[in-house]
Amino acid sequence: MTRTGIRLHAPAPGWSISADVIVVGSGVAGLTAALRCEAAGLTTVVVTKARLDDGSTRWAQGGIAAALGEGDTPEQHLEDTLVAGAGLCDEDAVRILVTEGPDAVRRLISTGAHFDTDEEGDIQLTREGGHHRRRIAHAGGDATGAEISRALVEAARARGVRMIENALVLDLLTDADGSTAGVTLHVMGEGQHDGVGAVHAPTVVLATGGMGQVFSATTNPSVSTGDGVALALRAGAEVSDLEFVQFHPTVLFLGADAEGQQPLVSEAVRGEGAHLVDGDGVRFMVGQHELAELAPRDIVAKGIMRRMQEQDAEHMFLDARHFGADMWEHRFPTILAACRANGIDPVTGPIPIAPAAHYASGGVRTDARGRTTVPGLYACGEVACTGVHGANRLASNSLLEGLVYAERIAADIVAAHAGDGLHARVPEPVPHPEKPAYPLLVPEARFAVQRIMTEGAGVLRSADSLEKAADQLQRLHSEARDALEENGKTAEPGVDTWEATNLLCVARVLVAAARLREETRGCHWREDRAERDDTNWRRHIVVRLNPDRSLAVRTTDTADFPPTRPSRHHQRPQEQ
């Protein structure tokens, strides 16, 4: 691995504790890993940015996909996933997901999660885009994530897992050999700990969720600022396929200038029979794909955008008036409430919708056991790139991926600790050097990054738009770097400046990868390269951060997902 020596500007830790395992994040991935490690006797500390249930998991509406229904099989689930991934899924990783998924869901149920059932007590299953079978288990109608979060949080509290809430993780600590030695973090507000501190441990699991806040409009909560990917890059880890950001096709349209987290209208609404229509009431997805409105998300998002362009419209509509009030109130109560809170009644009128940033299919590169290119550092859930999603995530595979791969990570950690004796010696971290530190951006730069990314690297991209975005992002980076190098000045350390800096870091990587991939594939849509090019681009793009803060970008030779230990057959990195 390459050690960058780069850290965020922050005060020195004023307190420290030790553990066997640190889990950063409290969604389905983080809490599942923490529960398994704690159950094996490992001292586990969960660090979470807000409250335990404030991450992306609780916002998941549709459900969790698994071959649980009569006549369905893991092979069918595998095929649907591979098709959605547009030639870039790692088939072995997907096979792990679909074969281990059903039992993982059953273990989640035994943990305390309650899914919707029919009169016979069987789990109710629905369909979503890209699935040829009903295999989406849901809870509370359209509150699946909230129920999963509730069950896992209650289980973690009952087991006594140690929690540090309202804590933004800053940087990875490493020992003299470059292996993981813990993290630094900043605790916001009053509590047992406050301010910048450190948790020392030989193992860290990143489960920090996504980076949707890099765009102006997103379904992601405000905490999704790419902190895990940015930390991993500064630590020397590699990230892969960050250009593949999925834009959910049906997000409640609140106006062209709406910013921040937008209400999601779950794909399950279309799975139950809702239709996409234009302003004239015409169903425009019929004939574009065999599954029409239930085509994979990238195809539906493109269909919506094309119709918007053709009609010079700001949005399209989702029509589910035929559901009736009773179905809306019982099957989709959360969505119904969100619509009505914004002056829209889906019982009597169509819902205005438009695509918005939703999910990062790429992330920190891992192997089948969640191991990154940094020894002792694991990644799981949306922050990770396991190879499962390829160029476009299949609907409702995200909760399943978090669940399955968190269990695999925990098993690997427990086995490693068993080999070293249950409680391994806590490594001695090497102090971060004073330089090179990562220059901090002023808080307002967050909005500049979001506008740049929305205009240049959103659902529609081109060489010109991406070049402009890259230049503007580089200008932000250079101004902060020059101020630091020339007069030692940087923005005041704090949550707002750390988040803005993390967003700029992941934005630069995303744009670099999107510029390099000169084709349209999955949720990466290049207007100037409209066709998929398997000959030249059925391969992955891998990025790491150099010690001088430039980006090293390379492509793999084949579509095989790269190992987490670099090998000599990769192409020479291109400096960006």
Side-chain angles (χ1 to χ4, degrees):
M1 61 165 284
T2 301
R3 296 177 62 181
T4 70
I6 299 173
R7 60 173 178 81
L8 288 173
H9 272 284
W15 55 269
S16 66
I17 60 174
S18 296
D20 295 317
V21 182
I22 304 165
V23 177
V24 187
S26 59
V28 61
L31 289 183
T32 298
L35 283 166
R36 297 294 184 274
C37 289
E38 188 75 25
L42 298 177
T43 303
T44 305
V45 173
V46 172
V47 177
T48 187
K49 193 173 178 180
R51 297 192 307 271
L52 284 180
D53 60 353
D54 272 351
S56 294
T57 291
R58 77 179 181 100
W59 295 101
Q61 295 173 342
I64 185 167
L68 298 166
E70 184 177 353
D72 196 7
T73 65
E75 282 297 322
Q76 294 177 66
H77 190 182
L78 175 112
E79 181 60 28
D80 285 345
T81 301
L82 295 179
V83 170
L88 279 186
C89 294
D90 181 272
E91 187 168 338
D92 290 340
V94 178
R95 195 171 297 280
I96 287 169
L97 179 83
V98 300
T99 55
E100 297 183 10
D103 284 343
V105 172
R106 295 183 184 102
R107 285 189 288 273
L108 179 62
I109 293 171
S110 69
T111 302
H114 302 293
F115 289 93
D116 296 334
T117 56
D118 59 23
E119 294 178 355
E120 285 73 41
D122 296 324
I123 296 175
Q124 290 183 341
L125 301 172
T126 190
R127 277 183 67 196
E128 291 186 354
H131 293 271
H132 284 79
R133 290 272 188 175
R134 284 183 170 262
R135 65 167 66 98
I136 316 300
H138 49 83
D142 58 358
T144 310
E147 170 58 18
I148 291 174
S149 180
R150 179 206 62 78
L152 291 173
V153 167
E154 287 187 6
R157 285 176 171 155
R159 186 168 285 281
V161 177
R162 185 168 186 174
M163 312 286 185
I164 303 178
E165 296 182 270
N166 300 306
L168 171 63
V169 68
L170 299 176
D171 282 303
L172 189 75
L173 295 171
T174 55
D175 64 14
D177 296 325
S179 297
T180 296
V183 295
T184 55
L185 65 161
H186 173 77
V187 181
M188 300 163 272
E190 297 180 1
Q192 184 177 359
H193 303 294
D194 198 5
V196 174
V199 184
H200 298 149
T203 305
V204 172
V205 180
L206 290 179
T208 52
M211 55 183 192
Q213 289 291 325
V214 79
F215 295 97
S216 297
T218 177
T219 63
N220 288 195
S222 61
V223 294
S224 298
T225 52
D227 307 318
V229 172
L231 174 148
L233 283 163
R234 290 192 297 272
E238 294 183 341
V239 303
S240 185
D241 299 351
L242 222 61
E243 69 272 28
F244 296 118
V245 176
Q246 186 178 82
F247 284 75
H248 198 288
T250 54
V251 176
L252 187 62
F253 181 76
L254 301 180
D257 297 327
E259 296 183 341
Q261 186 178 10
Q262 312 289 302
L264 177 67
V265 182
S266 170
E267 202 153 290
V269 177
R270 281 175 279 140
E272 296 292 352
H275 301 144
L276 283 166
V277 298
D278 60 21
D280 298 322
V282 177
R283 287 180 65 187
F284 54 87
M285 285 304 299
V286 175
Q288 292 198 35
H289 190 276
E290 60 163 333
L291 296 176
E293 284 93 349
L294 285 177
R297 287 179 178 174
D298 61 315
I299 294 171
V300 179
K302 291 169 188 174
I304 292 171
M305 293 298 295
R306 287 193 186 101
R307 197 65 156 198
M308 287 167 57
Q309 290 176 325
E310 290 169 3
Q311 299 189 344
D312 193 24
E314 292 183 324
H315 62 83
M316 291 286 108
F317 293 93
L318 187 65
D319 192 349
R321 288 175 288 182
H322 55 284
F323 284 4
D326 187 66
M327 181 173 176
W328 267 111
E329 290 167 2
H330 290 91
R331 180 67 178 87
F332 300 111
T334 307
I335 299 169
L336 178 64
C339 288
R340 286 177 169 170
N342 287 282
I344 300 158
D345 190 344
V347 177
T348 60
I351 305 168
I353 55 88
H358 181 58
Y359 191 88
S361 293
V364 184
R365 288 208 307 123
T366 74
D367 63 11
R369 289 181 279 177
R371 299 179 300 184
T372 74
T373 53
V374 176
L377 179 66
Y378 294 77
C380 189
E382 191 173 356
V383 71
C385 185
T386 62
V388 160
H389 303 307
N392 182 48
R393 175 177 68 91
L394 181 65
S396 288
N397 269 357
S398 52
L399 290 175
L400 190 70
E401 184 198 29
L403 192 63
V404 167
Y405 279 86
E407 291 187 343
R408 294 181 68 83
I409 284 173
D412 194 70
I413 292 171
V414 170
H417 276 263
D420 296 333
L422 185 59
H423 299 284
R425 180 185 64 83
V426 177
E428 184 68 27
V430 175
H432 276 301
E434 285 302 312
K435 295 180 180 180
Y438 210 93
L440 298 180
L441 272 65
V442 295
E444 308 85 73
R446 173 179 184 142
F447 305 106
V449 171
Q450 290 171 335
R451 286 192 294 271
I452 292 167
M453 294 297 290
T454 299
E455 293 171 3
V459 65
L460 296 177
R461 303 167 179 176
S462 69
D464 290 342
S465 76
L466 290 167
E467 181 181 9
K468 181 179 179 181
D471 289 344
Q472 291 173 325
L473 293 173
Q474 183 59 39
R475 190 174 304 118
L476 288 175
H477 175 74
S478 297
E479 289 172 355
R481 179 199 61 200
D482 293 346
L484 177 65
E485 293 179 351
E486 292 173 7
N487 52 34
K489 291 185 178 180
T490 188
E492 188 69 23
V495 174
D496 289 344
T497 56
W498 289 321
E499 286 186 335
T501 303
N502 285 338
L503 283 172
L504 176 60
C505 178
V506 298
R508 292 177 64 218
V509 175
L510 193 162
V511 169
R515 293 182 74 188
L516 186 59
R517 184 174 292 281
E518 295 182 335
E519 65 160 354
T520 288
R521 181 185 298 271
C523 52
H524 172 66
W525 186 5
R526 286 280 298 259
E527 291 181 286
D528 57 329
R529 295 287 189 274
E531 302 301 320
R532 174 170 154 176
D533 180 359
D534 281 347
T535 301
N536 295 305
W537 287 109
R538 191 165 177 254
R539 59 193 67 203
H540 301 275
I541 295 176
V542 178
V543 185
R544 61 175 172 79
L545 189 64
N546 289 322
D548 66 356
R549 299 185 291 274
S550 64
L551 301 178
V553 185
R554 75 170 190 268
T555 60
T556 59
D557 290 335
T558 69
D560 293 339
F561 199 64
T564 54
R565 293 295 178 265
S567 55
R568 288 176 292 181
H569 72 271
H570 291 305
Q571 295 181 11
R572 184 181 298 277
Q574 302 173 27
E575 302 305 324
Q576 297 274 318

